[in-house]
């Protein structure tokens, strides 16, 4: 079976190296032939190998599960590896690095640094004073509660919710939807002994649960379809009574 | 020169590295974990289906224990594994999963009452007892006696990775991402840390430590068609190799997974088949029972992958623009099951192929083809995880040849190995760091840093006309074509020769940008030669091994040859000017095995050249077992008599089970 010649597409990428003397932000256009099932992972890899070996971007799993490749595609933040070129009828894709994170170079931003700081701030781990004896039976968990915890644990910290967030633009220290979701996740986990008061200490201010303006672009763009709207509203109701 | 001193240095921030880091930190050591990428993005996250641990909670896993898990693992390895290590592993796995539960991994739990499951393409009702409700659930995977694979839907690696990474943050492990180790610092056969390149600033710095543990994962990206993440380039193994002192084990043992989706190569978990999914050919016929009447789709991965290719060669593949493939049908499991337990699989099919696998009939079938998936080979270590030749260098996880997988790994055993090895080796590694001092002079450290600095400048000064990306692509295609699922002497010899040529060509490239900062082509230019060295170990090891064992399948030597090849391949690179590795062997001692070599129970029969000692040892094992049983000894006492093993911490204690009498 032969493959028909694909259409010509134009990928326009922002290039800028803040660490190189004389580098200024500019868009560079790359024209290439579309192949069947082509994603931005395939297209950008091809660009680097054949047109511009200096173009920086981040991919790891290329399967939509590691959260490395968030970037702004035609104005909307998305996972590049899951972005199919065929979904763009005019074949033009304009790529920019995600806002809200420190720019490393071109399309690469430092989400890791931000996420670690967020994790420390909201104490994104199980807090429990009991030492588990791992030679003994595990404690039982209601299957529904385990499923509910898992649903919220599906976040991959890609940063797309943060890049979509209006509050983050106004409040640089806002923990973001990702941070609030983390708290919601531990709040439901029976292994975690923290009380509402403990969570209030972590996020009971305008950089936390009371900062969210409910614009909900986070939920619109979340690649894992997490129930951010409901969970943020739930946490706010729960914590506002402690104010 | 910037020198960072620490007690314990871990290179690689996936599950194995992070768990080892936690072990070292908890023993009071100042521990640094270096990672190419933010640690939660590591390839561990891609483990979908689950983690094997013999808890025996659910109906279909009732009666499971370490002995069954051990036997499955040894058979799966085609008797290539280190049985002592396999024992250490199966004994610690239940503890690992219980530890992770305490760290918040939301394991799917047993639900009381009846549910419908698909077993052997038939709807079957399974009823769970009330007293087991709420305990950790398990599903079926290939090559196992019991349903032993514990899971969180099909995102098991993700939840485990987040659980362990969060625990590392809680314990204040110093995690530094976008840091790439480029060489190991060593002197007098002892490792003292690494020279590290900062991937943001381009700066070279030294990390000097009492002990160093490599946990950088596998080398799948030396192949073109692979399920592995783009960072799985085998660099950790290459750095060990480049010391000239450390050895790599069984590099030719490479696993091909039966069901990555075509053409992207993204994995569709073994859980698809474990949960009842089946393989179909061009006629829609379910062909696996024709080849493997007993285990069918759930024989071990090496066997299923070969049967698929065999069936395609018999003209039964489905033609496509990307070559022939096989269909994976999970639609028979029903929409409800898929949308709950195989959701990521569904998303992958929808997004990358425009297929909803829950659609009934042919519309829901996904095109699959075996592709590279797992590296059984790696840095050769002792059961404590320490290199056998370079003191103070430890390795754990896929980067290591600790050797619980031998020549084929069972599904669910790798993500399990990461955390189990992180616990066991992490503790031995920490003990080493507690007992040793840094005794290397800074002038020596400077020498190692200068070497890398000079090397990078040399690369930027190359003025040839070769292209590093083309060299890399050629290597990957060559490995697929000549060092793949089916191998033969001619193809392997050609592969070794051409890989050697490619290695020489890496010095004849021209890197376009001369920047030392943020220059992706420069990164390729120093990584690809290392990948080629790893690829040469795979190809040359494969060329020399004139037998078929596990995933290493020679069409010119079809039998497993215990008489001549019951050994482990060791490759090394003692002289930096060599252009192929040195190959040596280490015999496996049948007379200390708990389970002497025999037939696996799946795959073709009558394909073993037996070793004379196998029968003798089996008689010994049988005699001891019968005698001790008659004396009323329990299975633990008998096992200890047959093949004693040690573990750190309290890991040697018995595992409690719901089914204990």
């Amino acid at each position: 079976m032969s493959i028909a010649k694909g259409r010509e597409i134009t990928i326009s990428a922002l290039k800028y190296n803040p660490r190189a003397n004389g580098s200024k932000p500019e868009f560079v256009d790359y024209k290439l032939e579309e192949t069947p099932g082509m994603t931005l992972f395939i297209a950008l890899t091809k660009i680097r190998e054949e047109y511009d070996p200096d173009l920086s971007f981040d991919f790891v799993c290329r399967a939509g599960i590691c959260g490395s490749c968030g970037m702004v595609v035609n104005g909307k933040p998305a996972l590049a590896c899951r972005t199919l070129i065929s979904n763009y009828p005019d074949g033009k894709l304009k790529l920019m690095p995600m806002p809200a994170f420190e720019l490393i170079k071109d399309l690469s931003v430092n989400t890791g640094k931000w996420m670690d700081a967020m994790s420390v701030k909201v104490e994104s781990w199980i807090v429990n004073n009991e030492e588990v004896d791992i030679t003994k039976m595990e404690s039982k968990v209601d299957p529904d509660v385990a499923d509910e915890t898992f649903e919220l644990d599906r976040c991959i910290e890609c940063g797309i919710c943060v890049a979509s967030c209006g509050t983050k633009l106004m409040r640089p220290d806002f923990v973001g939807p990702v941070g609030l979701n983390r708290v919601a996740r531990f709040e439901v986990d029976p292994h975690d002994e923290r009380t509402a008061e403990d969570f209030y200490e972590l996020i009971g201010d305008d950089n936390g649960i009371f900062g969210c303006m409910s614009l909900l672009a986070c939920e619109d763009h979340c690649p894992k379809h997490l129930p951010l709207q409901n969970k943020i509203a739930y946490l706010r109701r729960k914590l506002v009574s402690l104010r | 020169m910037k020198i960072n001193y620490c007690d314990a240095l871990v290179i690689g921030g996936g599950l194995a590295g992070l768990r080892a880091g936690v072990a070292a930190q908890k023993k009071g050591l100042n521990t640094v974990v270096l990672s190419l990428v933010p640690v939660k993005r590591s390839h561990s996250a891609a483990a979908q289906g689950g983690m094997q641990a013999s808890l025996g909670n659910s109906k279909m896993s009732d009666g499971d224990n370490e002995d069954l898990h051990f036997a499955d693992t040894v058979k799966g390895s085609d008797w290539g594994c280190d049985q002592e290590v396999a024992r250490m592993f199966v004994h610690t796995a239940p503890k690992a999963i219980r530890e992770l539960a305490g760290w918040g991994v939301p394991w799917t739990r047993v639900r009381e009452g009846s549910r419908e499951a698909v077993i052997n393409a038939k709807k079957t009702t399974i009823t769970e007892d009330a007293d087991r409700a709420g305990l950790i659930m398990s599903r079926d995977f290939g090559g196992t006696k019991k349903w032993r694979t514990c899971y969180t839907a099909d995102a098991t690696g993700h939840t485990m990775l987040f659980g362990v990474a969060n625990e590392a943050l809680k314990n204040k492990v110093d995690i530094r991402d976008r840091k790439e180790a480029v060489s190991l610092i060593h002197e007098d056969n002892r490792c003292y840390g690494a020279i590290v390149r900062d991937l943001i600033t381009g700066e070279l710095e030294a990390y000097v430590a009492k002990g160093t543990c490599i946990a950088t994962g596998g080398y799948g990206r030396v192949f073109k068609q692979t399920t592995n993440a783009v960072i799985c380039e085998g660099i950790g193994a290459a750095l060990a190799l480049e010391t000239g002192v450390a050895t790599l084990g069984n590099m030719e043992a490479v696993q091909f997974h039966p069901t990555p989706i075509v053409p992207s190569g993204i994995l569709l978990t073994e859980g698809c088949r474990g949960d009842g999914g089946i393989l179909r050919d061009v006629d829609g016929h379910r062909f696996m029972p024709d080849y493997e009447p007993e285990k069918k789709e759930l024989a071990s991965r090496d066997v299923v992958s070969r049967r698929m290719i065999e069936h395609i060669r018999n003209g039964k593949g489905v033609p496509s623009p990307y070559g022939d493939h096989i269909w994976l049908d999970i639609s028979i499991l029903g929409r409800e099951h898929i949308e709950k337990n195989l959701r990521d699989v569904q998303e992958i099919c929808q997004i990358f192929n425009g297929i909803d696998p829950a659609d009934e009939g042919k519309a829901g079938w996904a095109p699959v083809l075996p592709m590279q998936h797992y590296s059984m080979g790696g840095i050769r270590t002792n059961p404590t995880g320490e290199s056998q030749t370079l003191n103070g260098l430890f390795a754990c996880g896929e980067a290591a040849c600790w050797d619980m997988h031998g020549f084929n790994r069972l599904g669910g055993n790798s993500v399990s190995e990461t955390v189990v090895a992180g616990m066991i080796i992490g503790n031995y590694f920490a003990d080493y760091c507690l007992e040793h001092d840094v005794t290397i002079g800074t002038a020596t450290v400077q020498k190692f840093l200068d070497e890398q600095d000079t090397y990078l400048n040399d690369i930027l000064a190359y003025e040839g006309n070769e292209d590093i990306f083309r060299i890399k692509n050629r290597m990957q295609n060559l490995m697929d074509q000549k060092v793949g699922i089916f191998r033969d002497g001619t193809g392997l010899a050609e592969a070794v020769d051409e890989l050697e040529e490619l290695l020489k060509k890496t010095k004849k490239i021209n890197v376009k940008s001369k920047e030392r900062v943020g220059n992706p082509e420069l990164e390729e230019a120093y990584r690809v030669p290392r990948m080629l060295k790893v690829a040469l170990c795979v190809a040359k090891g494969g060329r020399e091994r004139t037998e078929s064992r596990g995933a290493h399948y020679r069409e010119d030597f079809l039998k497993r040859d215990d008489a001549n090849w019951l050994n482990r391949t060791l490759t090394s690179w003692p002289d930096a000017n060599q252009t192929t590795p040195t190959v040596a062997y280490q015999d496996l001692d049948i007379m200390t095995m708990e389970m002497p070599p025999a037939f696996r129970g799946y795959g073709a029969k009558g394909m073993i050249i037996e070793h004379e000692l196998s029968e003798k040892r089996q008689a010994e094992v049988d005699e001891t077992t019968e005698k001790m049983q008659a004396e009323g000894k329990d299975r633990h006492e008998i096992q200890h008599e047959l093949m004693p093993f040690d573990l750190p911490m309290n890991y040697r204690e018995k595992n409690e089970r719901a089914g204990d009498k």
Side-chain angles (χ1 to χ4, degrees):
Chain A
M1 234 183 269
S2 69
I3 304 170
K5 195 168 160 55
R7 61 180 178 154
E8 186 186 77
I9 57 165
T10 305
I11 301 217
S12 183
L14 186 92
K15 286 200 74 180
Y16 175 48
N17 183 356
R19 281 165 197 82
N21 289 332
S23 175
K24 290 203 175 71
E26 56 168 348
F27 281 101
V28 178
D29 287 355
Y30 307 96
K31 292 188 190 304
L32 57 162
E33 186 193 326
E34 187 181 13
T35 51
M38 187 183 240
T39 59
L40 268 179
F41 165 68
I42 296 168
L44 287 170
T45 304
K46 195 175 167 71
I47 289 170
R48 185 188 279 172
E49 290 186 358
E50 294 174 19
Y51 302 92
D52 184 359
D54 182 53
L55 181 65
S56 292
F57 46 78
D58 293 318
F59 287 100
V60 177
C61 76
R62 58 82 174 88
I65 49 144
C66 79
S68 298
C69 64
M71 57 182 74
V72 179
V73 184
N74 288 359
K76 295 192 175 215
L79 290 180
C81 73
R82 297 204 331 188
T83 301
L84 280 171
I85 308 291
S86 59
N87 288 340
Y88 294 80
D90 65 354
K92 292 189 188 342
L93 288 86
K94 195 168 200 175
L95 309 181
M96 289 192 279
M98 286 198 294
F101 300 100
E102 180 186 310
L103 178 69
I104 294 174
K105 179 172 170 275
D106 306 338
L107 303 171
S108 172
V109 295
N110 203 336
T111 51
K113 185 177 163 187
W114 195 94
M115 291 297 167
D116 278 358
M118 175 278 294
S119 293
V120 171
K121 189 168 177 194
V122 307
E123 298 181 6
S124 168
W125 46 71
I126 295 285
V127 176
N128 187 331
N129 290 319
E130 230 174 284
E131 187 73 19
V132 177
D133 182 349
I134 57 177
T135 67
K136 296 282 183 290
M137 295 293 301
E138 67 272 19
S139 52
K140 290 186 172 183
V141 176
D142 181 323
D144 289 330
V145 174
D147 286 354
E148 196 187 343
T149 312
F150 169 69
E151 284 303 310
L152 303 177
D153 209 35
R154 292 174 65 243
C155 168
I156 55 173
E157 294 190 356
C158 61
I160 283 175
C161 62
V162 182
S164 314
C165 178
T167 304
K168 178 69 176 68
L169 288 175
M170 294 166 54
R171 301 185 189 279
D173 296 330
F174 184 50
V175 297
V178 55
L180 299 176
N181 177 70
R182 286 264 114 199
V183 172
R185 178 243 175 275
F186 287 101
E187 198 267 336
V188 73
D189 192 327
H191 294 97
D192 200 307
E193 289 176 348
R194 281 176 287 188
T195 61
E197 284 77 9
D198 295 328
F199 290 123
Y200 188 90
E201 286 297 312
L202 297 172
I203 56 158
D205 62 11
D206 286 350
N207 284 323
I209 193 67
F210 304 119
C212 171
M213 301 182 293
S214 304
L215 297 175
L216 299 175
C218 54
E219 183 159 326
D220 290 346
H221 293 101
C222 174
K224 289 283 152 185
H225 312 294
L226 293 170
L228 297 168
Q229 175 181 4
N230 278 343
K231 282 293 146 187
I232 292 172
Y234 165 79
L235 273 183
R236 187 161 39 210
R237 275 200 309 277
K238 189 160 180 123
L239 299 189
V240 77
S241 60
L242 301 174
R243 196 135 74 153
Chain B
M1 172 179 60
K2 183 171 162 189
I3 302 186
N4 304 273
Y5 288 97
C6 57
D7 295 321
L9 177 66
V10 180
I11 302 171
L15 274 170
L18 288 170
R19 183 59 188 82
V22 170
Q25 187 79 8
K26 281 192 168 175
K27 285 197 166 169
L29 295 160
N30 170 16
T31 307
V32 172
V33 174
L34 303 175
S35 175
L36 280 180
V37 297
V39 293
K40 286 173 181 167
R41 318 229 183 278
S42 305
H43 186 53
S44 304
Q48 298 172 358
M51 161 173 174
Q52 281 210 43
S54 59
L55 296 181
N57 289 328
S58 62
K59 189 53 111 193
M60 298 300 287
S61 65
D62 196 34
D64 202 5
N65 61 31
E66 298 86 359
D67 298 349
L68 299 180
H69 191 184
F70 171 75
D72 287 341
T73 301
V74 173
K75 285 179 196 169
S77 81
D78 221 353
W79 274 271
C81 74
D82 180 329
Q83 296 195 5
E84 184 186 341
V85 168
R87 263 294 168 191
M88 293 165 75
F89 162 73
V90 299
H91 200 78
T92 309
K95 297 179 181 75
I97 206 163
R98 287 167 173 164
E99 177 177 87
L100 290 171
W103 291 0
V105 176
W107 299 110
T108 298
R109 300 286 171 147
V110 176
R111 215 172 266 279
E112 183 187 348
S114 298
R115 68 178 190 283
E116 260 195 358
V118 176
I119 302 175
N120 192 16
K122 286 187 193 71
K123 287 218 162 101
T124 311
T125 302
I126 299 173
T127 307
E128 300 288 355
D129 295 341
D131 65 328
R132 303 291 172 89
L135 295 172
I136 294 172
M137 180 66 184
S138 54
R139 61 164 40 136
D140 200 7
F141 252 40
T144 65
K145 266 240 147 37
K146 298 278 179 183
W147 290 23
R148 187 183 298 127
T149 307
C150 307
Y151 60 101
T152 56
D154 56 357
T156 313
H158 163 79
T159 57
M160 290 171 69
L161 182 60
F162 271 57
V164 176
N166 285 329
E167 195 67 17
L169 287 172
K170 176 181 171 179
N171 282 285
K172 299 190 169 60
V173 177
D174 185 350
I175 298 172
R176 304 184 185 188
D177 62 39
R178 295 185 190 262
K179 299 274 189 188
E180 177 175 13
V182 290
S183 76
L184 294 177
I185 302 166
H186 62 102
E187 186 178 48
D188 301 330
N189 294 337
R190 183 166 161 213
C191 182
Y192 292 95
I195 302 300
V196 173
R197 184 168 178 268
D198 185 305
L199 293 173
I200 297 177
T201 65
E203 187 189 7
L204 287 175
E205 47 190 335
Y207 279 78
V208 172
K210 296 170 179 172
T212 307
C213 183
I214 292 184
T216 49
Y219 44 87
R221 284 276 159 179
V222 304
F223 291 83
K224 186 79 189 171
Q225 299 286 342
T226 173
T227 62
N228 283 194
V230 299
I231 54 172
C232 302
E233 299 188 320
I235 300 298
L239 297 184
L241 190 68
E242 286 186 333
T243 61
V245 183
T247 58
L248 307 184
N250 287 347
M251 292 298 280
E252 68 271 33
V254 175
Q255 179 171 84
F256 299 84
H257 194 289
T259 60
I261 199 163
V262 176
S264 65
I266 297 169
L267 181 68
L268 303 181
T269 172
E270 184 153 326
C272 292
R273 283 170 292 131
D275 286 5
I278 58 176
L279 297 169
R280 296 182 187 275
D281 64 14
V282 66
D283 305 319
H285 172 63
R286 182 190 179 196
F287 60 93
M288 276 308 292
D290 306 342
Y291 295 98
E292 296 293 330
E294 195 190 332
K295 284 287 199 178
K296 306 177 184 72
E297 281 85 356
L298 289 172
S300 64
R301 288 176 178 174
D302 57 322
V303 171
V304 178
S305 290
R306 278 196 295 272
R307 296 302 197 187
M308 289 167 71
I309 300 292
E310 195 179 337
H311 201 59
I312 289 174
R313 285 177 169 185
N314 290 339
K316 293 294 180 184
V318 186
S320 85
Y322 301 97
D324 289 357
H325 64 75
I326 295 292
W327 295 118
L328 172 68
D329 178 7
I330 59 169
S331 68
I332 57 171
L333 307 180
R335 183 168 291 276
E336 192 190 346
H337 180 90
I338 291 169
E339 292 186 347
K340 184 161 185 300
N341 292 307
L342 297 168
R343 185 162 26 164
D344 277 5
V345 167
Q346 186 184 33
E347 265 193 11
I348 289 163
C349 292
Q350 286 170 331
I351 291 167
F352 296 95
N353 290 64
I355 295 165
D356 182 352
D359 282 350
E360 277 181 37
K362 203 173 172 182
W365 300 353
V368 294
L369 193 65
M371 296 181 197
Q372 195 284 341
H373 180 60
Y374 187 80
S375 313
M376 274 78 74
I379 300 166
R380 179 70 190 127
T381 72
N382 291 324
T384 58
E386 189 177 11
S387 162
Q388 297 178 329
T389 41
L390 184 56
N391 300 328
L393 177 70
F394 289 71
C396 61
E398 194 174 349
C401 179
W402 184 30
D403 202 8
M404 55 165 280
H405 303 304
F407 278 75
N408 176 67
R409 164 177 82 72
L410 292 185
N413 258 359
S414 75
V415 81
S416 194
E417 179 190 16
T418 61
V419 283
V420 169
M423 292 165 76
I424 297 173
I425 295 172
N427 275 293
Y428 284 131
F429 166 61
D431 291 343
Y432 181 94
C433 296
L434 288 168
E435 290 158 11
H436 290 79
D437 290 317
V438 169
T439 53
I440 195 169
T442 51
T444 314
V445 176
Q446 182 76 52
K447 183 192 75 141
F448 277 93
L449 190 136
D450 290 347
E451 271 175 20
Q452 291 305 311
D453 190 52
T454 306
Y455 180 48
L456 294 179
N457 286 334
D458 287 350
I459 290 175
L460 290 176
Y462 290 157
E463 284 184 334
N465 50 14
E466 299 288 346
D467 178 283
I468 198 67
F469 295 107
R470 282 203 196 127
I471 293 173
K472 185 179 184 179
N473 279 318
R474 180 60 201 149
M475 167 189 71
Q476 292 171 327
N477 285 318
L478 194 58
M479 293 299 286
D480 275 12
Q481 288 155 14
K482 296 182 176 170
V483 198
I485 298 177
F486 289 96
R487 301 170 174 177
D488 64 52
T490 315
L492 288 163
E494 288 167 3
V496 172
D497 291 347
E498 195 176 340
L499 289 168
E500 193 180 355
E501 286 311 306
L502 289 173
L503 182 60
K504 292 175 188 164
K505 278 185 187 172
T506 57
K507 291 184 175 169
K508 295 171 185 162
I509 56 170
N510 189 339
V511 178
K512 285 153 216 88
S513 162
K514 303 301 173 192
E515 289 281 347
R516 283 271 299 252
V517 189
N519 183 350
E521 191 180 13
L522 173 64
E523 286 161 13
E524 293 291 335
Y526 65 74
R527 287 174 192 159
V528 172
R530 291 182 182 133
M531 294 175 77
L532 277 161
K533 288 179 183 173
V534 167
L536 273 159
C537 291
V538 179
K540 196 172 175 185
R543 186 187 77 185
E544 302 298 305
R545 184 172 283 276
T546 50
E547 67 153 354
S548 291
R549 184 181 297 273
H552 171 66
Y553 194 81
R554 288 280 299 254
E555 293 195 278
D556 45 355
F557 295 92
L558 293 169
K559 291 187 175 178
R560 188 183 91 199
D561 185 354
D562 292 342
N564 295 296
W565 286 102
L566 196 65
N567 58 23
R568 198 166 284 121
T569 311
L570 296 178
T571 40
S572 59
W573 211 284
D575 180 347
N577 294 318
Q578 283 181 226
T579 51
T580 65
T582 301
V583 181
Y585 296 93
Q586 192 170 40
D587 282 337
L588 270 61
D589 182 6
I590 292 177
M591 296 313 287
T592 59
M593 286 182 187
E594 185 180 333
M595 227 172 104
F599 175 59
R600 298 166 95 186
Y602 42 79
K605 287 194 175 121
M607 298 304 283
I608 303 170
I609 299 170
E610 283 177 24
H611 193 290
E612 54 184 17
L613 291 178
S614 297
E615 205 176 326
K616 185 177 171 203
R617 175 61 180 162
Q618 188 61 56
E620 264 185 25
V621 168
D622 292 344
E623 192 189 354
T624 306
T625 307
E626 278 166 33
K627 181 166 157 273
M628 291 184 73
Q629 276 173 345
E631 289 165 2
K633 306 283 189 198
D634 70 12
R635 66 182 182 91
H636 301 284
E637 291 166 307
I638 297 171
Q639 192 286 321
H640 182 73
E641 180 61 29
L642 292 173
M643 192 185 69
F645 66 96
D646 282 325
L647 285 168
M649 308 294 281
N650 63 343
Y651 302 161
R652 191 66 182 82
E653 286 179 28
K654 287 180 188 169
N655 296 302
E656 189 184 33
R657 287 186 179 79
D660 288 347
K661 296 288 179 298

